[in-house]
Amino acid sequence: MMKGTSASAGIGIGKAVIVEEAQLVIEHRAVADASAEKDRFQKALEKAKEETEALARDLATRVGEKEAEILNGHLMLLGDPMLTGEIENVIAAESVCSEMAIENVCNMYADMFASMGDELMQQRATDMRDIKTRMQKILLGVKSVDIAALPAGTVIVAKDLTPSMTAGINPKNVTGIVTELGGKTSHSAILARALEIPAVVAVENFLSKVQDGDDIVLDGSEGIVIVNPSQEEKEEYQAKREAYLKEKKELEQYIGKPTITKDGVQVELVANIGKPEDVDKVLQYDGEGVGLFRTEFLFMDRTAMPTEEEQFEAYQKVAIAMNGKPVIIRTLDIGGDKEIPYMGLEKDENPFLGYRAVRFCLDRKDDVYKPQLRALLRASAFGNIKIMVPLVTCVEEYRQVKALIEEIKEELDSKKIAYNKDIQVGIMVETAAASLMADAFAKEVDFFSIGTNDLTQYTMSVDRGNDKVSYLYSPLNPAVLRSIRNIIQCGRKENIMVGMCGEAASDPMMIPLLLAFGLNEFSMSASAILNARKLITGYSVAELQEVADKAMSFVTTEEVENYMKEFISK
Ligand code: PEP
Ligand code: MG
């Protein structure tokens, strides 16, 4: 039995499939027989074409024709005699291996396309790099697992999963996820919860203890993994799985009930989503709206930016599905642990302190931010959309975004395009600076949503994905609690809505404290909503004041945790 961090509740039972992002090492290797090397290249080229054709067929049926178009573009490049001729020329002229010839020729074209600047050419550059890697993988014999096409009953095992890898998972076939790295609030963990796949992360040296095809059972709620369990253990976990599912079923009695405390304080219980399709789950679990739409997921798992039109359709779809209920859409929050290869972002030394989110967007107004804001404004004509700005650290940033929104509103007015003129614009409060300035922000913005995942990281100076320092990472740390309480008080003083969309909003130890502080809105993965409603409806805010006062009197996380654990177990 091995212990890791519980990242997504539930019991997984299945067979291990090890998923690794292959690192290709391309070396300059001299070849004596250039004509034999050319044959080797031709064989790889044919194989690359076959693979791409198969992928395109699969994508067209599983996802859509539009997505498959990209691969048809790849096929055209692979079939371009100019490109392949040039690679053969380099092999012959420089007596160099195919991998290196491909590297040089494809990079040369990709750089050339990329330097032309426009969107179409950027796409070409990405395509060129994609086909380069495909051919090189074939030549080097590197196999990569297609994460979208895993067999039923798979437990994914990986060093770490990138958010885009996780987004490609088909939850029907994946019964569990185990990783060596990551933390509870890393984005792959958040996605696992959204997909309701049991997951355990941060299992030390796990890859050295498991092989492809091994039997695995995992308890995502307890953070436990067993490789090749005994028959007894298997039966035990089978029973645990049934109990878990039964408990989940019992929560259904809270569907359709208001989220109101025993002493009549009503709060909003809303959902975090990453893709328009996620609203199905929001409706299924009776979410009262969307408190956070992480739009960066629309930008992931593809090779070019979604156009304004595509974004408009996605936002409109959510607004319509939620039928007048609030839908808070966060503008692009990339950087940090969310990389998007085609955006041309360089690797930051300190990604979480670097060029990300609103900082990046304000630097890329024309090609990135304006199209997104325009899509959001246009979609606001179809429902109750609110715009939320991530990672704000200073008032100036918010003012710049507001100015940009005003500029786009004028443009839409002049073109007689409909939008909600009173659209609310709020901020995520998730940096230490924004928390300290919450009183000032509260006078300018329409609402707050506290992002505890980042707020904890920035308050405690601890990387949210780093297991080695995760003992410091807790929203129940007194410093973080003081910060949260201050943000809520400042917002309430100016009568703006204060919500929370970080993972703490669904934490049973946090909920009583947040109610006592006066939080108005709780946003969480859809699957957590009914349990939160059960908890909230069981409390009286007046009675919780004493609990909050006591909790706030402690100076260590441990004391707060022990106290809250004891309180909720009563
Ligand atoms: C947060 O930081 O709490 C948050 C909700 O945003 P994300 O997890 O996407 O950074
Ligand atoms: Mg955040």
Side-chain angles (χ1 to χ4, degrees), residues 187 292 294 330 338 428 430 451-454 464 501-502:
H187 283 92
L292 167 64
R294 289 183 167 96
R330 177 173 77 182
K338 290 172 283 197
M428 300 231 12
E430 55 180 343
T452 47
N453 305 342
D454 277 318
R464 63 197 258 184
C501 56

Side-chain angles (χ1 to χ4, degrees), residues 6 10 21 142 190 242 290 292 411 442 474 568:
S6 82
E21 271 275 75
V142 175
I190 290 170
E242 275 150 30
V290 169
L292 167 64
E411 184 194 315
S474 168
I568 60 174

Side-chain angles (χ1 to χ4, degrees), residues 429-449:
V429 188
E430 55 180 343
T431 64
S435 169
L436 289 166
M437 293 296 285
D439 55 336
F441 276 109
K443 293 191 173 73
E444 300 203 19
V445 310
D446 295 321
F447 63 88
F448 284 162
S449 185

Side-chain angles (χ1 to χ4, degrees), residues 333-368:
D333 183 359
I334 56 164
D337 65 342
K338 290 172 283 197
E339 287 176 32
I340 300 186
Y342 59 80
M343 279 291 189
L345 286 168
E346 279 169 25
K347 251 213 156 13
D348 264 336
E349 278 288 331
N350 269 312
F352 279 117
L353 301 182
Y355 184 59
R356 58 171 286 211
V358 69
R359 304 168 180 183
F360 165 78
C361 285
L362 284 171
D363 191 41
R364 295 274 294 264
K365 289 196 186 90
D366 290 330
D367 67 333
V368 178

